[in-house]
Amino acid sequence: MGSARGTVVVPLLCALVLLPLTAWPPTRTPAVLVATALAALAPLVGVRLHRPPWHHPWLAVAAMLACWGLAMGLADTAPGPALALQAVGIAVAVGLFAVLFGRWWRRGPVERRRLGRATWGRRTDQLVVVVVVTLAVGQSAAAALTPGVAWPVPVAPFDLVLVCLLLRFVASRGGLGPGMVLLVAGGVGAAVYDCLANDSGDRIPGPQHPTAVLWTAAMCAFLAGSLHPSMRAAFDPHVLGRLRSESARLVGLTPLVLVPVALSLLGSGRMLPATVHLSSAAVVSALAIVRGAQTIRGSEEQARRDPLTGLANRRGLRVAFDDLVGPGTVGVTAPDAVVGRLALLDLDDFKHVNDTYGHEAGDHLLVSVALRLLAGVGGGATVARSGGDEFVLLLPPGGPDVDDLLRGAFAEPVELDGRSFPVRCSAGWVELTADSSLPLALADADVALYASKGTTRGGATRFAAEQREEVLGSLALADDVRRLAAGEDDVGELVLLHQPLVALPSRTVLGCEALVRWQHPTRGLLAPDTFLPVAEEQGHGALLDAWVLRTACRSATTWPEQWTVSVNLGRTSMVDPGLADGVRATLAGTGLPPHRLRLEITEHDQLPPDAGVDALHELAALGVGVSLDDFGTGYTSVAYLQRYPVTVLKLDRSITGSDAAGALLGGLVALAAALGVDVLAEGIEDDAQCARLAALGVDAGQGWLFGRPVPAEQLGTAVGNPT
């Protein structure tokens, strides 16, 4: 802390002491020389204190200032060596500026190219620089060719242009630290001092010259910049390549606009006709106006673009919609004539990508999807991103069919950072007429999209009026689910049913599976497939699972001791970091022994690779069983067998029916036996099916043959007396 404070206090004290001494003629010479010596030593001290990763530029600053200080000290006694030292310092300065420019050029191409594609602003900036440099060269040449003019006078215009370029550099760079700003301030002060000296005809004025006050101020700026802690990052290419906003860069043109006027005020300015300076000022002013217009145009264009994907945003969509369906179509086409289509697209399971791989991977996926959509729609169409993972397509007549576009765009997975992302997209679309409005078209397409996600997930659905009632009903159900999770009383209650699990072929009851239902006040008894997916989408799945687990464990304590209870876990529960603690607390609160609980993982939802792995292994160590439910219908079945401590493999009814291949069932039984896992067949409805499965080696079964789901109090009647 003390060292950091010293790097600020020391330059300030030096400025407070040396500037007054420089202003007083008797002490001017020693004050100027001391200030120059301190400024030359400061970069070496700064490198030692702050350890910048790029220290060579600071060594160049020290060498430059040392050469200039020696040249100033020898100006009166040895003018020849003084000029030589000054030339060496100038050469070092040119090299330093080359380093600055080179690092900016290498670091900033992406942003510069992006801005160049949007506007011609950078070209205009370059034209302004060319005009002022050309004027300075012409003025310098005119002064050099004029008889009787001292040879330093033609150099003054270049000093003035250098001052303006340095100011332009500071104005156009974003995030420059105090160290670099002070360094540039020192360069500006030294260049102004040199300009005044050259314009007076004196190439190296001695330290006693009155303008030495300006030189001392410049040296104090070099001193402060070299010692400030931010000098560590002053030459960082990342910092040098960071551009300010277009409006800030436009303001940065101001110093260059003033160059023609400033050049006319120099002594060498009289060597050119006044019309030359006036013409140059007019050209520079005109270019500045053009630059301002380009900046405004670029800002307007950016305001209509999504910053992540570069697609049109809502504002840009409005402009494109008005171009397609606007005043220009009135009177040209019939009001009900189709003038295009609007499609609303939503990426399926995009939230899972963000949860599993992170938001950066999600952003890259969105960009890749945007590029595929742009390639698929062809010319004349508009692709917009309305927010999140939703995209809007405006397709003119004759544009591609939405279903075909989806199949073509997402036929292949997206490759990002060595990972393959299969992309599935649902869409709803509506035809546009001359009377269409954007809000209503988006609303209708949203209704069709909702219907698509509920029925033809991964496909496109055309809007139909009857869909609105269905969607409104679904939205009402979603609101009721939210209220149910919040514990409100007027949305009905959850009901728990139990279906027996029996051993084959003895048909001995092993336990029951807990199956949740919702007794809705107006819709009646709702099956879990109706409301659980909605609860999962809202993030309430774990809350409902916890209720089922608690209620089922409490009921199981009244059953025969050899019976187990099986409870399903949804995706939200599996990714919940508190899964193991919640199950342990429920077991402790209800008094149910861990070995009597079975947790069932459903395969219908793809899970992140680490979801629930540690929790289920921890619970398995306590004696809790783990079943893999609906095996054969969902995601990565074999991977789940390897990942989780599965003890029971529940075969889905789609592969246990009478038409199921015996070879397939026999292979699954053999696989389970090799892994030490029991096999339970779902959907057993008659004795013949039961006998066939038992003959194939299936250990247990579940289905209407053994009992339908019933409340806990009816279990004894439904399954008979346990054996």
Side-chain angles (χ1 to χ4, degrees), residues 313-408:
N313 57 15
R314 289 182 178 270
R315 190 173 180 180
L317 177 63
R318 161 60 70 183
V319 174
F321 184 87
D322 289 342
D323 290 340
L324 182 64
V325 184
T329 62
V330 177
V332 179
T333 59
D336 58 347
V338 176
V339 297
R341 284 167 294 159
L342 182 145
L344 185 62
L345 282 63
D346 183 83
L347 298 184
D348 298 333
D349 303 322
F350 178 73
K351 183 178 183 297
H352 298 172
V353 175
N354 276 340
D355 293 343
T356 305
Y357 301 103
H359 288 275
E360 185 174 353
D363 288 346
H364 290 166
L365 181 60
L366 291 174
V367 173
S368 298
V369 168
L371 294 175
R372 291 194 178 190
L373 291 175
L374 282 173
V377 297
T382 298
V383 182
R385 179 178 175 228
S386 58
D389 60 337
E390 284 192 349
F391 297 86
V392 181
L393 307 182
L394 276 180
L395 303 173
D401 181 78
V402 180
D403 267 314
D404 293 340
L405 192 153
L406 294 185
R407 283 193 293 268

Side-chain angles (χ1 to χ4, degrees), residues 609-634:
D610 58 346
V613 173
D614 293 339
L616 291 183
H617 278 280
E618 183 179 338
L619 293 172
L622 295 177
V624 175
V626 178
S627 302
L628 188 54
D629 194 17
D630 297 333
F631 186 85
T633 61

Side-chain angles (χ1 to χ4, degrees), residues 20 34 85 89 104 123 146 196 212 299 310 410 592 597 667 680:
V34 168
L85 286 169
W104 164 70
R123 301 301 182 193
T146 301
L196 296 175
S299 298
F410 306 120
L592 185 72
L597 175 63
L680 185 148

